[in-house]
Amino acid sequence: LVQRRLGMPVLNLDQLLVEIVQRRKPLDFDRLWAGQPDQPLRVVASALTSECSVALGSDEGSWRSLPELAHCMRASMLLPGICGPVVPLNNSRGEVEPHADAMLFEPIPYRLAVREGATHVLVLRTRPDGVNVVRRQSIFERLIAWRFFERKMRMPHMYKHMRNQQHRQRYAEDILLLNEAAKQSQADSGIHIRWRSGPGPPEPVQLCQVALQPGERGPEVSNLQTDAGVTRSGRDRAEMRCRDLS
């Protein structure tokens, strides 16, 4: 019934999260699990009823096996109206709540890290400065948001969120804050964070951003990037920044 009501997804995540991650080239989950005490993995997604971003980790019991981790990853990358139905997961209150792509409430996933006490945050950006992130919504985008959230999921609050482009406004706010942090990258004191939604932590935070592109200003990395060299370059630059922070 759910499949008939929602229709077939435009992008089927099963190929990546089931066929590849779990079967053809399975993730070394034992190694990942062994590193959790020292380097915990936190998967960021959007809780659609609570209207906030959430971190899905092993400590909270969100995942303790490869299939459960893949389920959380599905929520984190599920584009509304594109990748199928929302993902039901238990929230902090022990209730089942629908979840979807982290971009809805945390388009650049660093806020949760700051709220959880991180003093140094490394941010990988796929878009260079100068890209218009608060552009006018197309009719196609508005139609998808209305059809998925208003008509099918019965979530008018989420349709309003998308219609008002609140996710893009938050993205623009984060870009401005990260650029301000980059100006102070040589200082050891960090910056005091204050978001439109409220103040950040009382202590200053070191924010370092790395763009996945050659040079300070380069072409935008598309969502369907298939050139491994581009992502490897970004990874190498990120590792260099990590060493700078240590």
Side-chain angles (χ1 to χ4, degrees):
L1 291 176
V2 173
Q3 185 63 32
R4 284 199 299 268
R5 182 169 66 87
L6 293 177
M8 294 295 292
V10 177
L11 294 177
N12 191 342
L13 298 178
D14 288 344
Q15 178 65 21
L16 171 64
L17 298 176
V18 178
E19 187 65 24
I20 296 178
V21 172
Q22 300 184 57
R23 295 174 183 169
R24 295 189 184 182
K25 295 185 177 181
L27 179 70
D28 189 346
F29 186 80
D30 291 339
R31 183 178 179 183
L32 173 66
W33 186 260
Q36 286 303 291
D38 299 321
Q39 195 174 21
L41 172 64
R42 315 281 286 164
V43 180
V44 182
S46 294
L48 302 184
T49 303
S50 303
E51 299 184 63
C52 65
S53 58
V54 294
L56 308 172
S58 57
D59 288 344
E60 295 83 2
S62 298
W63 55 270
R64 296 191 175 182
S65 66
L66 181 53
E68 289 177 346
L69 174 59
H71 195 57
C72 292
M73 292 167 62
R74 180 185 296 273
S76 179
M77 63 177 67
L78 190 138
L79 293 172
I82 302 294
C83 297
V86 295
V87 178
L89 294 169
N90 289 331
N91 59 25
S92 59
R93 302 182 297 276
E95 304 167 344
V96 176
E97 181 173 354
H99 291 69
D101 198 305
M103 69 93 178
L104 295 173
F105 291 102
E106 191 156 343
I108 300 180
Y110 78 98
R111 295 190 181 208
L112 279 171
V114 171
R115 290 194 175 104
E116 291 184 353
T119 58
H120 294 70
V121 180
L122 181 67
V123 180
L124 302 183
R125 286 177 51 190
T126 60
R127 289 176 171 175
D129 287 337
V131 175
N132 183 5
V133 298
V134 195
R135 65 183 186 278
R136 184 176 180 179
Q137 269 187 329
S138 68
I139 296 178
F140 181 67
E141 289 175 312
R142 290 198 299 270
L143 179 60
I144 288 180
W146 174 83
R147 186 172 182 267
F148 186 78
F149 282 124
E150 181 80 33
R151 179 183 171 189
K152 293 185 175 182
M153 301 306 304
R154 303 293 191 267
M155 292 181 174
H157 63 286
M158 286 305 306
Y159 170 61
K160 181 180 179 181
H161 179 89
M162 297 293 289
R163 184 190 63 196
N164 294 337
Q165 303 192 76
Q166 293 181 30
H167 57 301
R168 286 178 175 164
Q169 294 177 35
R170 183 163 296 188
Y171 185 97
E173 178 188 8
D174 287 341
I175 290 296
L176 293 175
L177 190 147
L178 290 170
N179 285 344
E180 179 62 26
K183 296 177 182 178
Q184 303 181 31
S185 61
Q186 302 302 321
D188 296 329
S189 57
I191 66 170
H192 287 279
I193 295 178
R194 182 175 182 83
W195 296 298
R196 290 176 58 190
S197 57
E203 300 298 326
V205 178
Q206 284 274 8
L207 294 175
C208 293
Q209 57 177 325
V210 176
L212 299 183
Q213 63 205 18
E216 291 298 321
R217 300 291 185 270
E220 179 179 356
V221 179
S222 70
N223 295 333
L224 300 178
Q225 176 61 254
T226 59
D227 186 347
V230 175
T231 54
R232 277 199 296 267
S233 173
R235 179 201 63 193
D236 293 342
R237 296 177 65 195
E239 289 179 352
M240 292 177 60
R241 295 300 290 271
C242 284
R243 287 195 290 269
D244 291 341
L245 291 173
S246 61

